[in-house]
Amino acid sequence: MRERLSYELDQAQITVLDTGGQYCHLIARRVRELGVYADVHPSETPIGELPGRRGLIISGGPSSVYEPGSPTVERSTLEAGVPVLGICYGQQLMAHQLGGHVHKGEKGEYGLAHLEIVKANPLFEGVAGRQQVWMSHRDKVDGLPAGFELIGATETCPVGAIADAGRKLYGVQFHPEVVQTLAGQRMLENFVFGICGAVKDWEPTHQIPVVEEQIRQIANGRSVFFFASGGVDSTVAYTLCLQALGAERVHATYVDTGLMREGETEFVRGVFESLAKGSFEVHDAKREFLGQLAGVREPEQKRKLIGEEFVAVQQRVLESGHYFDGDWILGQGTIYPDTIESGGTKKADLIKTHHNRVDGIQKLIAENRLVEPLREFYKDEVRQLGRAMGLPDELLDRHPFPGPGLAIRCLCHEGEAALERLDEGWLVPVHSVGVQGDSRSYRPVLAIEGADHGKATELINRLTQVNRVMARLGGGGELGAMRVFDSTITEERLERLRRADAIVRRLSVESGFENRIWQFPVVLIPCGEDKAKPDSVVLRPIESVDGMTATAVPIPAELAARMSAEILMVPGIAAVFLDLTHKPPATIEWE
């Protein structure tokens, strides 16, 4: 394999045309996993500006093709003789541009579905029969363009995949780039090699020297200051800067916000002391962060306040610590999902505001005082970089933990409210963030009895008023008798959540369950029995590769019973629930 040391050194063989989908860069990443260099350009990029491309992939997106101003591709791009694969919105756009018909579906598909392959074709070479796929759409194609034939369908989407093999034009309504589409990588491999004729030319681990050179260019003689969380991303980014600049020019401060897990400060101290490079200190800022969050309920406001307080603490620390003689820039462990879900590409819908993209950080970007070595990488790639640099598995295999800490797992509500009875369960008026059809949703949660993941997926696809389904694992009384209570972030509620989280982590490790999942958020919601037990805990074990999609994982019955029993012993906890919802339509975190 020929080594490539920069995105810019050679021309990409495959280009992803970005229509604003949450998985746009994931598509390019999947192609790179095949050993083929891929890049991303806006969907309107003329084919004349993409010379030598062996293939194009049109991404999914949050828009509707029939709406004014929606993302498009030039018809000449589809008629240039270059193979094209349209994914989700990309299939709809291809059909629309070439004379087919697209309409707004009455019933969306969010999550797992099953594709029946109805006709053999090069895209499905080696793939046959009924295939598990991942859907996130409501609009659908219902009239094929001239020259196309139907090659796949699902129960609720009769036009699940189309092809014009003569012109090498293909469309799929599902997302082959996500791991939940079990044969998706084989389909992409068929397109990239079999249809496009690409050759291998890409090795991700060769990017380390390029990233280090980028760090040196951005730093330009300045030192780098990190707020270290002890997580995978910030530690790998910190280590890259150490290698690029030397220990005397890199400093890390761990800010104890009062929003961290039990024992987290001690763990982080041990990690950075073991690195034995750079300077490191712990800064106690519990009072400042809890003061900022007092009385705040709205999740976006929480994230913004936490992000801005980080910037303010950073400024105070730098002004008082005298770590550097010269100028400095801020280093962050921001990875690609953080930017894409914050509307980081031109047409992407805002799913959530990341704390690394608040106004204070935007100001640093404008002043060229920010270095983010990992901003083009996904979580699994970050781990690969860490292993290549010799970081220990104990660190690299840690489950992700959100930068804002327990604040976004401690949900709040204004005023008291009863649960609303639906035929399918109980509507809990505690809202959570979701991603449906590549767009953000903010909706109540449906509570049911019985942890049936298949039923949860069906309910999500059918009920437009919810984006998340949870099942009760333990707790007394009737569901309908529970209430949502007026609540804010308090030290008492945070400690309640911290204790429940510690129980879950301990039992997950002891049972070996932690090794079977990617992340296990534990969420506190203000839904309880009375003022003595005003809260409930929601367990959210998921499996994922990169955080862009996720599958809700069942907890073994015996383990679930042990977790529930111990959590219910925490004062103030009325019930324990299990989140049954995949991503999409729910995000991994609730806020």
Side-chain angles (χ1 to χ4, degrees):
M1 180 181 294
R2 179 170 57 87
E3 180 174 321
R4 181 191 299 275
L5 293 180
S6 169
Y7 296 131
E8 293 76 31
L9 281 180
D10 294 300
Q11 179 175 280
Q13 296 184 68
I14 306 294
T15 285
V16 179
L17 296 175
D18 176 17
T19 64
Q22 297 302 312
Y23 311 142
C24 174
H25 281 255
L26 180 55
I27 301 168
R29 221 290 306 289
R30 293 294 186 223
V31 175
R32 297 204 304 265
E33 282 184 352
L34 295 171
V36 175
Y37 178 49
D39 63 2
V40 177
H41 287 269
S43 61
E44 291 86 356
T45 304
I47 189 65
E49 295 181 13
L50 302 171
R53 296 309 194 275
R54 294 179 181 242
L56 305 172
I57 301 176
I58 307 172
S59 79
S63 304
S64 294
V65 296
Y66 44 76
E67 292 177 347
S70 59
T72 189
V73 297
E74 294 187 356
R75 181 161 178 152
S76 59
T77 298
L78 302 175
E79 297 174 337
V82 178
V84 181
L85 171 63
I87 294 176
C88 196
Y89 179 88
Q91 170 175 279
Q92 298 163 16
L93 183 57
M94 180 184 292
H96 180 69
Q97 286 285 70
L98 296 177
H101 185 259
V102 179
H103 84 290
K104 192 173 186 65
E106 296 178 359
K107 180 180 180 181
E109 283 187 304
Y110 303 111
L112 295 177
H114 289 90
L115 180 80
E116 296 288 347
I117 296 175
V118 299
K119 186 175 179 61
N121 67 94
L123 186 65
F124 294 154
E125 181 70 29
V127 180
R130 194 167 188 256
Q131 292 292 325
Q132 177 180 297
V133 298
W134 190 270
M135 292 285 196
S136 182
H137 74 102
R138 186 168 291 275
D139 292 2
K140 61 184 72 174
V141 176
D142 67 347
L144 273 60
F148 280 79
E149 59 183 352
L150 180 71
I151 60 174
T154 74
E155 182 180 347
T156 60
C157 184
V159 183
I162 60 177
D164 183 335
R167 290 189 288 175
K168 296 186 177 180
L169 301 178
Y170 297 84
V172 294
Q173 188 57 65
F174 56 91
H175 288 269
E177 70 273 23
V178 305
V179 295
Q180 288 82 3
T181 297
L182 298 182
Q185 192 71 343
R186 175 62 190 269
M187 297 173 193
L188 290 175
E189 182 179 4
N190 288 340
F191 179 73
V192 169
F193 295 116
I195 295 170
C196 300
V199 294
K200 291 189 175 184
D201 69 345
W202 174 252
E203 173 52 58
T205 59
H206 294 161
Q207 296 175 73
I208 290 178
V210 178
V211 172
E212 291 177 355
E213 180 57 31
Q214 290 171 343
I215 291 169
R216 287 188 285 268
Q217 291 176 5
I218 293 170
N220 193 25
R222 298 173 292 184
S223 299
V224 179
F225 175 84
F226 272 89
F227 279 125
S229 68
V232 175
D233 303 334
S234 65
T235 308
V236 170
Y238 174 82
T239 305
L240 283 164
C241 287
L242 282 177
Q243 293 188 173
L245 303 175
E248 69 282 357
R249 290 178 56 194
V250 183
H251 173 79
T253 288
Y254 171 79
V255 177
D256 189 343
T257 64
L259 306 172
M260 306 309 289
R261 289 171 148 180
E262 186 176 284
E264 191 71 11
T265 299
E266 294 74 16
F267 176 84
V268 174
R269 190 190 301 276
V271 166
F272 280 86
E273 288 178 353
S274 70
L275 292 175
K277 296 177 180 177
S279 55
F280 173 77
E281 71 158 9
V282 175
H283 180 79
D284 189 339
K286 301 185 192 74
R287 182 171 56 84
E288 291 93 331
F289 278 88
L290 293 178
Q292 287 288 340
L293 292 170
V296 177
R297 295 180 173 89
E298 206 276 322
E300 284 292 288
Q301 186 68 5
K302 286 184 195 176
R303 286 181 174 271
K304 289 178 180 178
L305 286 171
I306 291 168
E308 297 294 358
E309 186 59 30
F310 264 117
V311 174
V313 170
Q314 161 225 305
Q315 192 63 41
R316 290 196 296 271
V317 168
L318 285 171
E319 288 175 352
S320 63
H322 306 294
Y323 299 109
F324 304 124
D325 294 331
D327 199 4
W328 61 273
I329 62 175
L330 180 68
Q332 292 194 145
T334 307
I335 62 174
Y336 191 74
D338 299 334
T339 59
I340 188 68
E341 290 189 336
S342 301
T345 60
K346 184 178 179 181
K347 304 180 187 74
D349 194 64
L350 174 68
I351 303 303
K352 62 186 179 184
T353 297
H354 195 267
H355 66 284
N356 284 359
R357 281 296 178 269
V358 295
D359 291 344
I361 299 300
Q362 299 290 359
K363 183 173 183 290
L364 291 175
I365 293 174
E367 295 173 350
N368 193 29
R369 293 175 58 196
L370 184 71
V371 60
E372 296 178 316
L374 305 174
R375 70 184 311 274
E376 298 296 334
F377 294 86
Y378 290 80
K379 180 71 73 173
D380 58 319
E381 294 179 316
V382 172
R383 290 191 170 104
Q384 292 177 33
L385 295 179
R387 287 192 172 90
M389 293 187 294
L391 291 176
D393 288 343
E394 178 189 13
L395 168 72
L396 296 175
D397 292 336
R398 293 193 90 199
H399 289 179
F401 186 69
L406 297 179
I408 62 166
R409 294 182 177 176
C410 184
L411 274 63
C412 306
H413 190 268
E414 184 172 3
E416 288 194 23
L419 276 57
E420 178 184 347
R421 177 64 182 173
L422 301 179
D423 290 342
E424 299 83 357
W426 291 92
L427 193 66
V428 182
V430 174
H431 287 59
S432 75
V433 176
V435 53
Q436 293 173 285
D438 283 302
S439 296
R440 169 190 171 128
S441 63
Y442 190 56
R443 294 173 182 164
V445 182
L446 183 70
I448 63 174
E449 300 281 12
D452 186 334
H453 286 72
K455 178 181 178 181
T457 298
E458 187 276 327
L459 290 172
I460 284 290
N461 287 340
R462 180 159 52 87
L463 301 175
T464 59
Q465 66 266 51
V466 302
N467 60 15
R468 202 176 292 264
V469 176
M470 62 182 186
R472 187 165 61 167
L473 297 179
E478 295 291 328
L479 264 178
M482 299 184 74
R483 297 185 63 80
V484 171
F485 291 92
D486 186 80
S487 51
T488 60
I489 291 181
T490 64
E491 291 190 47
E492 180 184 28
R493 295 190 74 222
L494 285 170
E495 184 57 28
R496 196 172 285 158
L497 174 56
R498 191 174 287 114
R499 290 184 61 185
D501 177 79
I503 291 168
V504 169
R505 285 193 294 152
R506 172 173 53 80
L507 293 178
S508 294
V509 171
E510 290 176 359
S511 65
F513 184 65
E514 181 166 294
N515 298 326
R516 295 167 47 192
I517 56 177
W518 190 73
Q519 191 176 5
F520 199 159
V522 177
V523 181
L524 192 76
I525 61 172
C527 181
E529 297 175 354
D530 49 38
K531 294 296 178 66
K533 293 185 176 182
D535 286 315
S536 290
V537 165
V538 184
L539 308 180
R540 174 78 168 134
I542 59 97
E543 176 53 43
S544 182
V545 172
D546 43 45
M548 295 300 290
T549 61
T551 303
V553 178
I555 303 176
E558 182 180 351
L559 177 60
R562 289 181 62 195
M563 285 182 176
S564 180
E566 288 202 32
I567 291 170
L568 288 171
M569 294 175 66
V570 176
I573 302 297
V576 178
F577 293 88
L578 175 65
D579 189 336
L580 306 176
T581 328
H582 306 305
K583 176 186 180 182
T587 50
I588 293 174
E589 300 288 349
W590 277 48
E591 291 188 343

